[in-house]
Amino acid sequence: LKNIPVISEYLDTVVKAHGKHDKDVVQIQTLFQMVADELLSHLQKEEKILFPFIKKIESIKEEAKGFEEFDLISIQDPIRMMELEHENAGNIFKTISKLSNNYNVPPGACNSYSVLYAKLQEFEEDLHKHIHLENNIMFPKALKASHQLFEDGDLESFHQT
């Protein structure tokens, strides 16, 4: 996230210098801005909606209060939304990678091009780590915990609060 302004600045520099001759870098700029905007919104939704849900599920066995059936069912919706957003960001970066020839700088390109492509590649790698941790570790764990509450019959005690 902290690299978004840095990458955007390099994109501006490269597009101004090379955009007339390299339309792919102009498209990369547009795509990156889409991902950047989506990620900022995505991270806010995680922090304000999804992560509090997950924390609530994790603490439910200890507190045994304050949870409704709706809370357990509705966690599936934000998780699905986050997964769809992950998929969209991943697809956009597949296009960016293709347009940049897998982050290989064009012959004779300036140093800004090299730094830009290195930063884009690093950003994509970080994005894939983020997606992996959430889709393959955090989300399944949260869903499993919420389903176990139903299976264990623990939900009945929550209606007494």
Side-chain angles (χ1 to χ4, degrees), residues 12-25:
D12 287 343
T13 300
V14 172
V15 166
K16 284 177 188 171
H18 304 283
K20 290 181 183 177
H21 302 95
D22 185 354
K23 298 300 179 195
D24 287 344
V25 78

Side-chain angles (χ1 to χ4, degrees), residues 5 22 33 49 55-56 58 65 129 133 141 154:
D22 185 354
Q33 192 57 54
I49 299 169
K55 286 178 184 176
K56 200 169 188 181
E58 291 296 320
K65 63 180 178 177
K129 287 176 191 173
L133 289 173
K141 183 179 176 184
D154 292 340

Side-chain angles (χ1 to χ4, degrees), residues 2-161:
K2 67 182 177 186
N3 281 328
I4 288 175
V6 173
I7 293 170
S8 294
E9 190 174 319
Y10 275 103
L11 275 164
D12 287 343
T13 300
V14 172
V15 166
K16 284 177 188 171
H18 304 283
K20 290 181 183 177
H21 302 95
D22 185 354
K23 298 300 179 195
D24 287 344
V25 78
V26 175
Q27 191 173 357
I28 289 170
Q29 183 181 41
T30 301
L31 291 169
F32 181 77
Q33 192 57 54
M34 285 173 49
V35 168
D37 292 344
E38 286 181 20
L39 278 177
L40 292 173
S41 171
H42 176 88
L43 293 174
Q44 286 179 339
K45 286 185 269 187
E46 285 180 341
E47 293 297 325
K48 292 181 180 180
I49 299 169
L50 183 59
F51 293 164
F53 256 134
I54 291 172
K55 286 178 184 176
K56 200 169 188 181
I57 287 171
E58 291 296 320
S59 67
I60 191 139
K61 295 252 180 190
E62 296 170 17
E63 296 177 16
K65 63 180 178 177
F67 228 67
E68 299 293 328
E69 185 172 347
F70 173 77
D71 293 329
L72 296 174
I73 294 169
S74 63
I75 193 168
Q76 294 172 1
D77 292 332
I79 286 176
R80 275 193 215 110
M81 178 61 71
M82 295 299 108
E83 290 174 334
L84 287 172
E85 290 176 4
H86 288 163
E87 185 177 340
N88 187 48
N91 287 336
I92 289 172
F93 257 94
K94 283 179 189 174
T95 303
I96 289 173
S97 180
K98 184 177 178 179
L99 290 168
S100 66
N101 191 27
N102 293 317
Y103 307 108
N104 288 305
V105 180
C110 65
N111 191 40
S112 293
Y113 238 120
S114 298
V115 174
L116 170 63
Y117 278 14
K119 292 285 185 190
L120 282 169
Q121 186 171 20
E122 178 184 348
F123 192 91
E124 181 180 9
E125 290 167 1
D126 289 345
L127 179 65
H128 287 300
K129 287 176 191 173
H130 170 91
I131 291 170
H132 167 72
L133 289 173
E134 289 185 358
N135 286 7
N136 299 317
I137 298 170
M138 182 188 300
F139 296 165
K141 183 179 176 184
L143 288 169
K144 181 178 178 183
S146 70
H147 290 299
Q148 283 177 338
L149 291 173
F150 282 116
E151 291 170 7
D152 293 345
D154 292 340
L155 190 60
E156 293 304 315
S157 65
F158 304 124
H159 291 292
Q160 299 171 6
T161 59

